Amino acid sequence: MRSKIQSAQARQRSTAAIKAAALELFAQKGYHHTSVSDIAREAGISKGLMYNYFSSKEELLTAIVNDAISDGEQILAILEDPALDPEAVLLDLIRQSVEMIKSNVHYWKLITSLAFQTDAMKSVEPLLKKQRESNIKMAVALFERMGSQTPLEDALLFGATMDGIFVYFMMLEDEFPVDHIVNHFIQKYFTSKQQRS
């Protein structure tokens, strides 16, 4: 039993090392210019052993994208509870999203750089499209509950603004006052009239 647990933990560590190495290389060299041999070397394992974990570079890319989606889904789960106050949900979503980015800026920089490699992302586009549609649907429902007359437009504007804040923060880090900007964003658009007065 103990050896099974140790074996599973070792496999988990190796998988994480491969993903981390691949993400770094995809960001530095580009997806198409990164070989399986490059990834194995960076991860400190043999090329043959790497195929025990991932059958192809495409499968590895899909695993990396799935991890990023999973991180986001943990935060977005709060949108699915109709019993919660929609404004409180939105504020919590903003704050949790910012903390997620701040806690691992390097990782999210790499993920973002990967997102701009359109040739690489073709293979995972169906997965990303499904996720985008789900996120927009949940955000629209939230804005509807908040009484918005234009819930789709508000959801899209909200998402684009948050993405813009994150990109500026990832580019400038300490030079960009992310907490101050997020608080300003909340005060300007998302605190209720009762809270403002």
Side-chain angles (χ1 to χ4, degrees):
M1 183 69 168
R2 192 173 183 181
S3 66
K4 278 188 178 179
I5 292 170
Q6 288 171 333
S7 177
Q9 288 172 337
R11 184 172 182 83
Q12 211 170 28
R13 282 193 300 271
S14 295
T15 302
I18 292 166
K19 288 177 186 174
L23 188 51
E24 289 279 356
L25 289 169
F26 292 161
Q28 289 169 19
K29 298 175 65 172
Y31 175 75
H32 284 296
H33 294 291
T34 301
S35 68
V36 170
S37 298
D38 293 335
I39 297 166
R41 188 166 41 253
E42 183 74 14
I45 61 171
S46 70
K47 183 178 175 181
L49 182 58
M50 197 179 122
Y51 282 116
N52 287 339
Y53 297 95
F54 299 99
S55 62
S56 66
K57 195 168 69 166
E58 187 175 293
E59 184 185 331
L60 178 51
L61 176 65
T62 302
I64 289 168
V65 170
N66 269 321
D67 284 350
I69 288 172
S70 179
D71 288 343
E73 280 179 339
Q74 288 176 30
I75 293 173
L76 292 170
I78 194 172
L79 294 175
E80 296 175 339
D81 189 344
L84 296 174
D85 174 67
E87 188 170 282
V89 167
L90 193 63
L91 296 176
D92 194 44
L93 177 65
I94 292 169
R95 292 191 173 109
Q96 282 196 51
S97 299
V98 171
E99 287 309 310
M100 179 180 73
I101 301 292
K102 284 170 65 178
S103 70
N104 199 346
V105 179
H106 183 67
Y107 170 77
W108 289 105
K109 273 186 184 181
L110 297 177
I111 288 291
T112 302
S113 73
L114 190 58
F116 286 102
Q117 297 181 44
T118 52
D119 53 344
M121 300 309 280
K122 280 178 189 170
S123 64
V124 290
E125 181 52 34
L127 177 68
L128 294 172
K129 185 179 178 189
K130 183 180 175 187
Q131 189 62 35
R132 275 195 306 271
E133 288 171 353
S134 172
N135 292 350
I136 290 168
K137 186 177 176 183
M138 287 191 290
V140 166
L142 187 69
F143 278 99
E144 284 173 346
R145 287 170 52 209
M146 290 174 71
S148 169
Q149 299 301 304
T150 54
L152 175 60
E153 289 82 357
D154 287 337
L156 293 173
L157 179 60
F158 170 74
T161 303
M162 290 301 294
D163 286 347
I165 290 170
F166 294 149
V167 168
Y168 265 92
F169 176 57
M170 287 185 283
M171 284 171 52
L172 302 173
E173 293 194 42
D174 293 340
E175 293 176 43
F176 184 74
V178 65
D179 292 322
H180 175 71
I181 295 300
V182 165
N183 286 333
H184 180 70
F185 178 52
I186 289 168
Q187 288 298 321
K188 195 163 182 69
Y189 297 106
F190 294 108
T191 51
S192 66
K193 289 176 183 174
Q194 293 89 348
Q195 286 173 300
R196 286 183 193 174
S197 57

